[in-house]
PDB file of all heavy atoms in Angstrom:
ATOM      1  N   THR A 747      36.396 -11.600 161.581  1.00  0.00           N
ATOM      2  CA  THR A 747      37.262 -12.767 161.818  1.00  0.00           C
ATOM      3  C   THR A 747      38.322 -12.527 162.853  1.00  0.00           C
ATOM      4  O   THR A 747      39.047 -13.380 163.264  1.00  0.00           O
ATOM      5  CB  THR A 747      38.006 -13.051 160.461  1.00  0.00           C
ATOM      6  OG1 THR A 747      38.728 -11.982 160.057  1.00  0.00           O
ATOM      7  CG2 THR A 747      37.042 -13.491 159.417  1.00  0.00           C
ATOM      8  N   THR A 748      38.270 -11.273 163.385  1.00  0.00           N
ATOM      9  CA  THR A 748      39.255 -11.000 164.402  1.00  0.00           C
ATOM     10  C   THR A 748      38.497 -10.369 165.634  1.00  0.00           C
ATOM     11  O   THR A 748      37.336  -9.990 165.397  1.00  0.00           O
ATOM     12  CB  THR A 748      40.290  -9.955 163.962  1.00  0.00           C
ATOM     13  OG1 THR A 748      39.653  -8.753 163.488  1.00  0.00           O
ATOM     14  CG2 THR A 748      41.122 -10.599 162.799  1.00  0.00           C
ATOM     15  N   SER A 749      39.143 -10.166 166.664  1.00  0.00           N
ATOM     16  CA  SER A 749      38.536  -9.596 167.862  1.00  0.00           C
ATOM     17  C   SER A 749      38.514  -8.078 167.716  1.00  0.00           C
ATOM     18  O   SER A 749      39.092  -7.563 166.782  1.00  0.00           O
ATOM     19  CB  SER A 749      39.274  -9.965 169.116  1.00  0.00           C
ATOM     20  OG  SER A 749      40.532  -9.392 168.992  1.00  0.00           O
ATOM     21  N   ASP A 750      37.675  -7.419 168.614  1.00  0.00           N
ATOM     22  CA  ASP A 750      37.561  -5.978 168.547  1.00  0.00           C
ATOM     23  C   ASP A 750      38.961  -5.300 168.717  1.00  0.00           C
ATOM     24  O   ASP A 750      39.154  -4.288 168.274  1.00  0.00           O
ATOM     25  CB  ASP A 750      36.596  -5.501 169.625  1.00  0.00           C
ATOM     26  CG  ASP A 750      35.261  -5.943 169.391  1.00  0.00           C
ATOM     27  OD1 ASP A 750      35.014  -6.255 168.204  1.00  0.00           O
ATOM     28  OD2 ASP A 750      34.405  -5.920 170.335  1.00  0.00           O
ATOM     29  N   MET A 751      39.870  -6.041 169.466  1.00  0.00           N
ATOM     30  CA  MET A 751      41.152  -5.463 169.707  1.00  0.00           C
ATOM     31  C   MET A 751      41.963  -5.382 168.412  1.00  0.00           C
ATOM     32  O   MET A 751      43.026  -4.671 168.430  1.00  0.00           O
ATOM     33  CB  MET A 751      41.915  -6.188 170.798  1.00  0.00           C
ATOM     34  CG  MET A 751      41.191  -6.237 172.144  1.00  0.00           C
ATOM     35  SD  MET A 751      40.801  -4.596 172.841  1.00  0.00           S
ATOM     36  CE  MET A 751      42.566  -4.114 173.058  1.00  0.00           C
ATOM     37  N   ASP A 752      41.699  -6.217 167.514  1.00  0.00           N
ATOM     38  CA  ASP A 752      42.465  -6.328 166.230  1.00  0.00           C
ATOM     39  C   ASP A 752      42.066  -5.318 165.182  1.00  0.00           C
ATOM     40  O   ASP A 752      42.658  -5.188 164.073  1.00  0.00           O
ATOM     41  CB  ASP A 752      42.408  -7.720 165.663  1.00  0.00           C
ATOM     42  CG  ASP A 752      43.049  -8.763 166.592  1.00  0.00           C
ATOM     43  OD1 ASP A 752      43.841  -8.298 167.400  1.00  0.00           O
ATOM     44  OD2 ASP A 752      42.581  -9.844 166.516  1.00  0.00           O
ATOM     45  N   GLN A 753      40.992  -4.575 165.461  1.00  0.00           N
ATOM     46  CA  GLN A 753      40.426  -3.652 164.379  1.00  0.00           C
ATOM     47  C   GLN A 753      40.550  -2.174 164.953  1.00  0.00           C
ATOM     48  O   GLN A 753      40.600  -1.939 166.143  1.00  0.00           O
ATOM     49  CB  GLN A 753      38.979  -3.947 164.148  1.00  0.00           C
ATOM     50  CG  GLN A 753      38.758  -5.350 163.548  1.00  0.00           C
ATOM     51  CD  GLN A 753      37.385  -5.523 163.226  1.00  0.00           C
ATOM     52  OE1 GLN A 753      36.641  -4.691 162.721  1.00  0.00           O
ATOM     53  NE2 GLN A 753      36.774  -6.825 163.536  1.00  0.00           N
ATOM     54  N   SER A 754      40.597  -1.299 164.038  1.00  0.00           N
ATOM     55  CA  SER A 754      40.638   0.138 164.213  1.00  0.00           C
ATOM     56  C   SER A 754      39.334   0.780 163.870  1.00  0.00           C
ATOM     57  O   SER A 754      38.905   0.694 162.742  1.00  0.00           O
ATOM     58  CB  SER A 754      41.787   0.771 163.596  1.00  0.00           C
ATOM     59  OG  SER A 754      41.824   2.164 163.746  1.00  0.00           O
ATOM     60  N   TYR A 755      38.749   1.506 164.849  1.00  0.00           N
ATOM     61  CA  TYR A 755      37.455   2.113 164.656  1.00  0.00           C
ATOM     62  C   TYR A 755      37.615   3.622 164.764  1.00  0.00           C
ATOM     63  O   TYR A 755      36.624   4.296 165.137  1.00  0.00           O
ATOM     64  CB  TYR A 755      36.406   1.607 165.650  1.00  0.00           C
ATOM     65  CG  TYR A 755      36.130   0.126 165.426  1.00  0.00           C
ATOM     66  CD1 TYR A 755      36.701  -0.800 166.216  1.00  0.00           C
ATOM     67  CD2 TYR A 755      35.194  -0.316 164.468  1.00  0.00           C
ATOM     68  CE1 TYR A 755      36.470  -2.122 166.057  1.00  0.00           C
ATOM     69  CE2 TYR A 755      34.913  -1.598 164.281  1.00  0.00           C
ATOM     70  CZ  TYR A 755      35.554  -2.551 165.131  1.00  0.00           C
ATOM     71  OH  TYR A 755      35.216  -3.879 164.936  1.00  0.00           O
ATOM     72  N   ASP A 756      38.758   4.201 164.585  1.00  0.00           N
ATOM     73  CA  ASP A 756      38.958   5.594 164.754  1.00  0.00           C
ATOM     74  C   ASP A 756      38.135   6.452 163.705  1.00  0.00           C
ATOM     75  O   ASP A 756      37.762   7.554 163.978  1.00  0.00           O
ATOM     76  CB  ASP A 756      40.431   5.932 164.565  1.00  0.00           C
ATOM     77  CG  ASP A 756      41.256   5.447 165.707  1.00  0.00           C
ATOM     78  OD1 ASP A 756      40.617   5.103 166.712  1.00  0.00           O
ATOM     79  OD2 ASP A 756      42.477   5.302 165.540  1.00  0.00           O
ATOM     80  N   TYR A 757      37.849   5.849 162.611  1.00  0.00           N
ATOM     81  CA  TYR A 757      37.065   6.558 161.539  1.00  0.00           C
ATOM     82  C   TYR A 757      35.633   6.819 161.979  1.00  0.00           C
ATOM     83  O   TYR A 757      34.952   7.592 161.363  1.00  0.00           O
ATOM     84  CB  TYR A 757      37.078   5.820 160.256  1.00  0.00           C
ATOM     85  CG  TYR A 757      36.529   4.384 160.307  1.00  0.00           C
ATOM     86  CD1 TYR A 757      35.203   4.187 160.225  1.00  0.00           C
ATOM     87  CD2 TYR A 757      37.399   3.319 160.496  1.00  0.00           C
ATOM     88  CE1 TYR A 757      34.663   2.899 160.322  1.00  0.00           C
ATOM     89  CE2 TYR A 757      36.982   1.996 160.550  1.00  0.00           C
ATOM     90  CZ  TYR A 757      35.498   1.855 160.587  1.00  0.00           C
ATOM     91  OH  TYR A 757      34.986   0.528 160.578  1.00  0.00           O
ATOM     92  N   LEU A 758      35.168   6.166 163.062  1.00  0.00           N
ATOM     93  CA  LEU A 758      33.775   6.364 163.434  1.00  0.00           C
ATOM     94  C   LEU A 758      33.592   7.794 163.940  1.00  0.00           C
ATOM     95  O   LEU A 758      32.374   8.322 163.926  1.00  0.00           O
ATOM     96  CB  LEU A 758      33.384   5.391 164.509  1.00  0.00           C
ATOM     97  CG  LEU A 758      33.324   3.872 164.045  1.00  0.00           C
ATOM     98  CD1 LEU A 758      32.991   3.003 165.182  1.00  0.00           C
ATOM     99  CD2 LEU A 758      32.306   3.725 162.886  1.00  0.00           C
ATOM    100  N   ALA A 759      34.701   8.418 164.466  1.00  0.00           N
ATOM    101  CA  ALA A 759      34.409   9.794 164.916  1.00  0.00           C
ATOM    102  C   ALA A 759      34.193  10.792 163.906  1.00  0.00           C
ATOM    103  O   ALA A 759      33.665  11.863 164.165  1.00  0.00           O
ATOM    104  CB  ALA A 759      35.802  10.221 165.740  1.00  0.00           C
TER     105      ALA A 759
END
Side-chain angles (χ1 to χ4, degrees):
T747 57
T748 60
S749 63
D750 292 341
M751 300 301 296
D752 298 332
Q753 300 185 38
S754 176
Y755 297 96
D756 294 342
Y757 55 85
L758 295 176

